[in-house]
Amino acid sequence: MPLLWIAIGLFIGVTAIVFGAAMILRGKPANKLEDRLDLLTGTNTPAAAKEGLVKQSVLAQPLDDRPGLFEVIFERFGNVNLLLEQADVSLSLPKLVLVSGVLAVVGMGLAAIIHIHPVLIPLAAALMAAMPLLWIVIRRKRRLKQFAAQLPEALEMIARALRAGQSMGFGFNLVAQEMGPPIGKEFNRIFEEQNLGIPVDQSLREMSERIPNLDLKFFVTAVILQRQTGGDLAEILDKIGSLIRDRFRIWGQVQALTGEGRLSGVVLLALPFLLFVVVYQLNPKYLMTLFTDPLGTKMLVAAAVMQLLGALVIRKIVNIKV
């Protein structure tokens, strides 16, 4: 037990040191403020720096928008900030790391309280630390799915506004007022960016980067081409909306036909973990051989690899693109 508390203390100390270093290394916003003042006054600003500052909107980008230590570290594993934005959560990356660290410590404490074998304590800490990221991934998937379901109605609403003689901006504002989140929030952001002077093409491209949806890319491409070459945009939007509705109908039929396979996959993947918990409750010493014996460790690794391969195969079978 003393070794466990020593490990917990070391974890908290290292976490505090990392956060302190992140706060120290985080850049001050004064440098950006001086650069923008130089841009406005035209003094002490090189031509290359002026060109870079002009491309960035003073109103759209905060002065303290500079990647910190955690952003630099985690950018090699993917754009975590984009993941947080797509999930529409107010957490920043340092706060997410802090919450995961606190949950890891809580998991270690709970594992010690209920007298789990010391070998499983790091596993419990890892599972608790992964809970915030899992919640964000599930929230992102649910939000993107809801956006895709709202998109046909939004496109038809914009098309009706265009036929009534209104502008594209009015159509965006109409969608923002009449439809709920997430699509209402996204189109309201485009409308506000237009009021701030940001070009519509840039706002639409940024929205298509935030929302990885193929139908949305069709809409963005259609709007940009229409602004450059002209044409009946309302008719194009109606056809895109009709295409999306047909795709959803076919996708529902596919989901109904593959429901049995998806349920079988869930049962087969969850069964080993449930058996692990049951056997551990009945005879813990019998199960700990897998962690203490070298052959048992190899068997665990082989079982994990086979589980992963089985999950990929089942997903490949039931995941039919529409």
Side-chain angles (χ1 to χ4, degrees), residues 195-216:
N195 294 334
L196 294 176
I198 299 177
V200 180
D201 298 356
Q202 179 182 346
S203 299
L204 290 174
R205 289 193 182 98
E206 291 177 355
M207 183 177 67
S208 65
E209 293 176 359
R210 290 193 306 269
I211 307 295
N213 185 285
L214 183 61
D215 299 317
L216 180 63

Side-chain angles (χ1 to χ4, degrees), residues 1-178:
M1 186 63 68
L3 292 177
L4 175 62
W5 290 111
I6 292 174
I8 294 175
L10 289 175
F11 179 82
I12 295 175
V14 171
T15 304
I17 292 173
V18 171
F19 272 95
M23 296 300 295
I24 294 174
L25 295 178
R26 189 174 179 85
K28 297 181 179 180
N31 295 332
K32 278 194 172 183
L33 180 60
E34 293 176 358
D35 290 339
R36 291 181 180 181
L37 289 175
D38 290 341
L39 176 65
L40 295 176
T41 58
T43 59
N44 300 327
T45 305
K50 285 184 179 180
E51 183 179 356
L53 288 172
V54 167
K55 293 180 180 179
Q56 300 175 352
S57 174
V58 177
L59 298 175
Q61 186 178 13
L63 292 173
D64 59 348
D65 188 15
R66 180 177 178 180
L69 179 62
F70 290 105
E71 284 82 356
V72 175
I73 294 175
F74 283 95
E75 68 181 1
R76 298 184 179 182
F77 304 98
N79 195 341
V80 184
N81 289 323
L82 180 60
L83 177 65
L84 296 175
E85 188 175 7
Q86 290 174 349
D88 194 20
V89 294
S90 58
L91 285 176
S92 61
L93 184 55
K95 291 181 180 179
L96 176 63
V97 174
L98 177 61
V99 172
S100 298
V102 171
L103 289 179
V105 175
V106 171
M108 294 174 64
L110 292 176
I113 291 174
I114 62 179
H115 302 291
I116 290 181
H117 195 278
V119 178
L120 299 178
I121 291 179
L123 179 60
L127 291 177
M128 289 294 292
M131 292 301 292
L133 184 60
L134 179 62
W135 172 73
I136 290 173
V137 171
I138 295 175
R139 181 181 173 88
R140 171 187 178 272
K141 183 178 180 181
R142 186 180 305 164
R143 184 171 182 267
L144 294 179
K145 184 178 180 180
Q146 187 178 3
F147 183 93
Q150 292 177 318
L151 186 58
E153 184 178 355
L155 297 184
E156 292 172 358
M157 191 176 297
I158 296 175
R160 289 195 296 268
L162 294 176
R163 287 195 177 94
Q166 301 294 339
S167 64
M168 179 68 68
F170 178 85
F172 293 157
N173 188 29
L174 183 63
V175 173
Q177 292 179 355
E178 297 296 332

Side-chain angles (χ1 to χ4, degrees), residues 175-294:
V175 173
Q177 292 179 355
E178 297 296 332
M179 301 190 66
I183 198 167
K185 184 176 180 179
E186 292 293 336
F187 277 87
N188 183 58
R189 179 171 176 175
I190 294 180
F191 180 72
E192 290 180 351
E193 288 178 351
Q194 281 186 287
N195 294 334
L196 294 176
I198 299 177
V200 180
D201 298 356
Q202 179 182 346
S203 299
L204 290 174
R205 289 193 182 98
E206 291 177 355
M207 183 177 67
S208 65
E209 293 176 359
R210 290 193 306 269
I211 307 295
N213 185 285
L214 183 61
D215 299 317
L216 180 63
K217 293 184 183 297
F218 289 155
F219 164 69
V220 172
T221 303
V223 172
I224 294 176
L225 289 178
Q226 191 272 341
R227 290 174 60 85
Q228 294 176 355
T229 61
D232 190 356
L233 182 59
E235 182 180 357
I236 296 175
L237 296 182
D238 283 337
K239 290 182 178 179
I240 295 177
S242 176
L243 177 64
I244 298 173
R245 293 185 186 278
D246 292 339
R247 184 181 294 125
F248 267 100
R249 179 177 54 81
I250 298 174
W251 181 79
Q253 296 176 357
V254 171
Q255 290 294 103
L257 294 175
T258 59
E260 182 180 356
R262 288 183 284 110
L263 182 60
S264 300
V266 171
V267 172
L268 292 176
L269 293 176
L271 188 60
F273 299 99
L274 295 177
L275 289 177
F276 179 89
V277 174
V278 172
V279 175
Y280 181 82
Q281 294 295 328
L282 296 177
N283 192 352
K285 294 182 180 180
Y286 177 78
L287 194 62
M288 285 302 106
T289 307
L290 294 173
F291 296 93
T292 57
D293 188 84

